[in-house]
Amino acid sequence: MNDLDFLRTPEGRALLDEVRDTDPAQELAVATRLRRTHPAPLVSAALGQARLRQRAVAKFGAADAGRMFFTPNGVEQSTRASVAAYRAERLHGLGVRSVADLCCGIGGDAIALARAGIRVLAVDRDPLTCEAARANADALGLADLIEVREADVTEVGTAPYDAVFVDPARRGGRGRIFDPEAYSPPLSWAVAAARTASRAAALKVAPGIPHEAVPADAEAEWISDGGDVKEAVLWFGAGAAPGAVRATLLPGPRTLPGTGLPDPEARTPGRYLYEPDGAVVRAHLVAEVAAQVGGGLLDATIAYVTADELRPTPYATAYEITDRMPFNVKKLKALLREREVGTLTVKKRGSAVEPEELRKKVRPQGPNAATVFLTRVAGAPTMLIGHPAR
């Protein structure tokens, strides 16, 4: 039997409960104790699954992660639950009631779709991955809505389904894959499959996808969760505006549509600096944020917006700037000592300096906090010091 077979037996489930909160530093001692009364392979499998479940909490939440079954690749590559739920609700809102989920992995998106009341065919070619997807559908009470099929996605007919969702593999033996045509399956195949969907289709792609690689008949959406960019999605069919771009921020959701504004001009730094959300930057919508706050760019090549007034926007974090100086570590250290800054946040765009290296050099000490931006102003390396605007 493989690990999942072991772990789904009564003995395996009981052992999983016992090792659930094992501290990684105590694994050897726990394993030694448990192997006196349990088979060694089962103990190893349970401890390995406990580690994966602990890692999965960040994506799935403690309640679901504590019941689900994972593979190492499944934890790494699965969609964050909040992002999957947002996408599932959008599909449900388009009238989609059945989806062919191609390259389903351990079933993260299938679970979100099923919870939205959508019937799912979940397809993957890896036997262990499919077994994990089936186990997860069963563990979460969704087996009636999720059919898992082990198959090559390029050989699966999707005509009976309202929509198609494709999540191509973007990792290979050497790490991340940046060329969309090197995805498995290639982006061109996924686009062709999306165009055959009877109602709608969504393709999950890397957030770094070049804009020129987005098909003209697709709407491109970049999604962040809690300020971290998670993915881009290409939408086809119902509800999609061909050629449109948008940035969606979770939780919320809050969506900023592109309006075709030209790049804002660079200007002298004002009292406030706005740091656009990463999804806004990836979607090339910094101009829309600049228009909202009445600002311009610090530098023509840097995605920092500066303005004279504070105009809160959900699409950027505002900072009040108190000091501006050319890049100089000694002067920064002296300023921080004078201000008694012990908590220093370092942000950078357009600078080769690493934040941790700078912290070590300035050695902040004191009860106060500050943020320093390492960037360029009119092409010159510059430091801007301030704090979150209130």
Side-chain angles (χ1 to χ4, degrees):
M1 292 193 297
N2 63 36
D3 288 356
L4 291 185
D5 286 334
F6 272 131
L7 296 176
R8 296 180 73 190
T9 64
E11 182 183 6
R13 291 180 184 277
L15 195 53
L16 277 173
D17 287 340
E18 187 171 351
V19 302
R20 176 184 302 159
D21 300 319
T22 299
D23 185 327
Q26 300 299 318
E27 273 194 12
L28 181 58
V30 171
T32 300
R33 173 175 58 80
L34 291 176
R35 283 171 182 162
R36 297 172 187 151
T37 53
H38 299 278
L42 180 54
V43 172
S44 296
L47 286 169
Q49 192 61 220
R51 285 196 303 272
L52 294 175
R53 286 179 168 183
Q54 290 169 7
R55 286 173 52 195
V57 168
K59 284 189 174 183
F60 291 92
D64 281 355
R67 293 185 289 166
M68 293 173 67
F69 295 88
F70 299 97
T71 65
N73 285 341
V75 173
E76 182 70 26
Q77 299 178 20
S78 57
T79 303
R80 182 179 288 254
S82 55
V83 178
Y86 161 74
R87 185 168 42 241
E89 288 300 328
R90 180 170 174 177
L91 286 167
H92 186 270
L94 295 173
V96 169
R97 297 298 178 264
S98 62
V99 171
D101 176 4
L102 308 180
C103 309
C104 69
I106 61 165
D109 281 282
I111 289 165
L113 290 164
R115 283 176 167 167
I118 297 173
R119 181 170 55 87
V120 185
L121 170 66
V123 184
D124 203 283
R125 66 183 179 184
D126 180 69
L128 182 58
T129 298
C130 286
E131 186 176 351
R134 290 191 191 95
N136 290 333
D138 181 63
L140 300 179
L142 300 169
D144 290 345
L145 284 171
I146 300 174
E147 174 194 348
V148 179
R149 184 181 303 175
E150 181 187 331
D152 185 329
V153 296
T154 64
E155 298 174 358
V156 174
T158 60
Y161 298 88
D162 296 338
V164 171
F165 172 67
V166 190
D167 181 6
R170 295 178 299 283
R171 285 183 179 272
R174 297 182 178 180
R176 293 183 184 275
I177 296 172
F178 297 98
D179 177 7
E181 283 306 296
Y183 292 174
S184 180
L187 180 62
S188 57
W189 179 90
V191 169
R195 289 170 176 157
T196 66
S198 62
R199 186 163 188 81
L203 309 182
K204 177 180 171 181
V205 294
I209 185 172
H211 280 234
E212 57 269 22
V214 176
D217 57 338
E219 174 188 300
E221 178 179 34
W222 279 262
I223 302 174
S224 68
D225 186 22
D228 295 327
V229 183
K230 294 303 177 185
E231 63 182 57
V233 185
L234 307 184
W235 294 91
F236 296 80
V245 296
R246 63 165 67 188
T248 295
L249 282 56
L250 302 176
R254 294 184 173 92
T255 295
L256 179 66
T259 57
L261 291 176
D263 290 340
E265 294 185 358
R267 50 154 289 179
T268 57
R271 181 177 178 181
Y272 296 95
L273 180 149
Y274 293 84
E275 181 183 27
D277 183 271
V280 171
V281 176
R282 293 284 194 175
H284 296 179
L285 298 181
V286 174
E288 278 71 7
V289 168
Q292 287 186 359
V293 303
L297 296 179
L298 276 177
D299 184 276
T301 62
I302 304 295
Y304 282 142
V305 175
T306 184
D308 298 316
E309 299 179 3
L310 178 60
R311 299 183 187 176
T313 170
Y315 304 108
T317 303
Y319 295 84
E320 184 174 4
I321 300 303
T322 56
D323 300 271
R324 169 190 171 189
M325 63 180 70
F327 181 82
N328 186 300
V329 175
K330 289 184 178 179
K331 289 185 177 180
L332 177 63
K333 185 176 181 179
L335 177 67
L336 297 176
R337 186 186 303 115
E338 177 186 337
R339 303 278 173 82
E340 296 185 307
V341 172
T343 303
L344 181 66
T345 301
V346 181
K347 293 177 174 287
K348 69 166 193 169
R349 280 183 183 164
S351 172
V353 178
E354 291 301 325
E356 283 305 317
E357 292 181 7
L358 183 65
R359 285 195 194 89
K360 290 178 181 178
K361 290 180 179 178
V362 300
R363 290 180 291 182
Q365 293 181 357
N368 300 320
T371 300
V372 59
F373 293 88
L374 308 178
T375 186
R376 294 195 300 269
V377 174
T382 302
M383 298 185 297
L384 300 173
I385 298 91
H387 53 78
R390 292 181 286 273

